[in-house]
Amino acid sequence: MQTELSQQLGIEHAVFGFTPFPAVAAAISRAGGLGVLGAVRYSTPDDLARDLDWMQEHTDGKPYGLDVVMPAKKVEGVTEADVEAMIPAGHRRFVAETLARYGVPELPDGEASGWRITGWMEEVARSQLDVAFDYPVKLLASALGPPPADVVRRAHDHGMLVAALAGSARHAAHHVAAGIDVVVAQGYEAGGHTGEIATMVLTPELVRAVAPLPVLAAGGIGSGEQIAAGLALGAQGVWLGSIWLTTEEAELNSPALTAKLLAAGSGDTVRSRALTGKPARQLRTAWTDAWDDPAGPGTLPMPLQGLLVAEAVSRVQRYEAEPLLGTPVGQIVGRMTARRSVQAVFDDLTTGFEHALDRLERIAGRAAATDTDTGTGTSTGTGTDTGT
């Protein structure tokens, strides 16, 4: 699964694996892809540095990347406390009432919420980048549009390629103007923040729109056959995220959540604003249903919604409150039916890719044979062979 982009990055397979777990990212890189570690969950630069140190020791010298979240628009002088103060009291009551309805206990005294989305704030992302630039990161990805111009310049100065996710040709045009090197065409099927255009439609549209920049196909991809389809559509690789959630290396630390993922079908996700305030595909749960119910208060814009629900998500996860327990995941969840190692997933991807190519070669061979037998496809219609 080699392309010009994979060769440029020095990876064996054009598979880019996004994950919040260092062990998964390292295993993806060791298997021949490019493991891309998500930084949004790191609340301090030291935490990120610790895990990047670990990555350095466990990737066997193979390249890896980092994914950060930087809002497209910056508001100067606003702190997390300022943002917290903007949350209406009615929304806080709704959260408390929903948790009480399902009997979710409070966190123990002195235990802070472990799920904070401070990484959505630009000053946090910049502190993460200050750490990242001390490491040989090969690809810097931005999940919410292109990073600021100075960040792109710094990344290029450090020899990094810069990628940004796009859900439409309009988004992709902004990426090109910002000097991005790689555009990730993230289709509607994808887990996490995603737009409204399906991968099959979006990928070739962006390939045409941003040429000659390389495009990665993302959303609903979890098999080698789908990788072959993405490359056939013009992509130079695929961006996979959800498929790694049920790998043995993943650190979900929740047997109940893992069981829900393994049991879910492709129709068991929903695109909801319940988690962050922006539409994000995730498991459908009683939590998403409550927020999407017209009788409720409705979600708040990012980052207010994420700050509002941060402690609630921590409580749901800590006590494994099954009806409310969920996670961002794409429609490919229906294929995630057993726990496997990252290497086993890669073996399945490469085998499926080979089968897809063999099938296409047989189809092409039969078509060529038919053309030869009938005299079509190689003639100008004037009796003169074109030689093609």
Side-chain angles (χ1 to χ4, degrees):
M1 295 187 282
Q2 278 279 322
T3 65
E4 291 180 8
L5 180 60
S6 67
Q7 292 171 347
Q8 181 180 358
L9 287 165
I11 57 177
E12 183 180 357
H13 303 298
V15 174
F16 297 71
F18 166 80
T19 174
F21 307 122
V24 175
I28 292 169
S29 290
R30 292 197 304 270
L34 189 83
V36 182
L37 179 65
V40 72
R41 72 189 184 102
Y42 294 99
S43 57
T44 71
D46 289 344
D47 290 340
L48 177 60
R50 177 201 63 222
D51 280 357
L52 289 178
D53 284 338
W54 189 94
M55 290 277 293
Q56 281 290 104
E57 296 172 3
H58 293 84
T59 48
D60 295 344
K62 302 292 181 63
Y64 60 89
L66 186 72
D67 180 279
V68 298
V69 175
M70 301 192 77
K73 296 180 180 179
K74 180 180 179 180
V75 180
E76 298 285 353
V78 177
T79 66
E80 183 178 343
D82 295 331
V83 177
E84 287 266 15
M86 300 177 190
I87 297 173
H91 282 72
R92 294 191 186 277
R93 283 195 302 273
F94 181 76
V95 170
E97 291 167 358
T98 303
L99 294 175
R101 187 180 314 132
Y102 290 92
V104 183
E106 298 277 352
L107 293 175
D109 290 342
E111 181 175 319
S113 168
W115 193 89
R116 301 295 289 175
I117 61 164
T118 52
W120 301 111
M121 304 182 75
E122 182 172 339
E123 62 267 26
V124 176
R126 284 186 176 276
S127 69
Q128 293 170 346
L129 290 172
D130 289 338
V131 170
F133 290 136
D134 289 333
Y135 292 82
V137 174
K138 291 296 184 182
L139 180 77
L140 177 66
S142 177
L144 288 179
D150 67 297
V151 172
V152 174
R153 286 194 299 270
R154 285 185 69 189
H156 287 163
D157 289 344
H158 283 80
M160 299 178 188
L161 294 183
V162 181
L165 278 62
S168 70
R170 178 173 58 85
H171 294 157
H174 291 314
H175 298 354
V176 174
I180 297 300
D181 305 295
V182 181
V183 175
V184 181
Q186 187 175 24
Y188 174 80
E189 306 94 325
H193 296 115
T194 184
E196 299 179 346
I197 305 173
T199 306
M200 182 66 73
V201 175
L202 182 65
T203 301
E205 187 174 317
L206 296 198
V207 167
R208 291 191 298 270
V210 306
L213 291 185
V215 170
L216 302 178
I221 300 175
S223 73
E225 292 84 354
Q226 290 170 313
I227 294 175
L231 299 189
L233 293 172
Q236 287 205 30
V238 292
W239 178 275
L240 310 184
S242 298
I243 196 70
W244 316 112
L245 285 173
T246 52
T247 56
E248 293 169 355
E249 293 89 346
E251 304 159 32
L252 281 180
N253 298 323
S254 173
L257 180 55
T258 299
K260 289 187 77 169
L261 288 169
L262 295 176
S266 56
D268 292 329
T269 69
V270 63
R271 190 165 164 267
S272 171
R273 298 177 183 268
L275 193 60
T276 69
K278 283 185 176 291
R281 186 169 296 284
Q282 54 203 279
L283 278 181
R284 182 176 181 179
T285 66
W287 181 256
T288 61
D289 286 348
W291 282 104
D292 295 339
D293 188 339
T299 57
L300 298 170
M302 179 185 280
L304 298 180
Q305 182 71 15
L307 292 171
L308 167 66
V309 306
E311 182 179 328
V313 171
S314 290
R315 288 166 61 183
V316 168
Q317 292 175 346
R318 189 186 201 284
Y319 298 108
E320 295 194 296
E322 198 275 341
L324 303 174
L325 191 61
T327 186
V329 68
Q331 292 180 331
I332 197 63
V333 69
R335 188 179 177 88
M336 297 155 51
T337 57
R339 293 205 72 190
R340 298 181 293 167
S341 67
V342 168
Q343 185 61 60
V345 172
F346 255 91
D347 292 343
D348 183 57
L349 294 175
T350 54
T351 299
F353 183 79
E354 291 169 357
H355 288 169
L357 293 190
D358 289 344
R359 187 180 306 116
L360 291 174
E361 288 173 358
R362 289 196 300 272
I363 292 171
R366 285 194 293 270
T370 300
D371 287 348
T372 300
D373 292 342
T374 62
T376 62
T378 59
S379 174
T380 63
T382 61
T384 303
D385 195 337
T386 65
T388 61

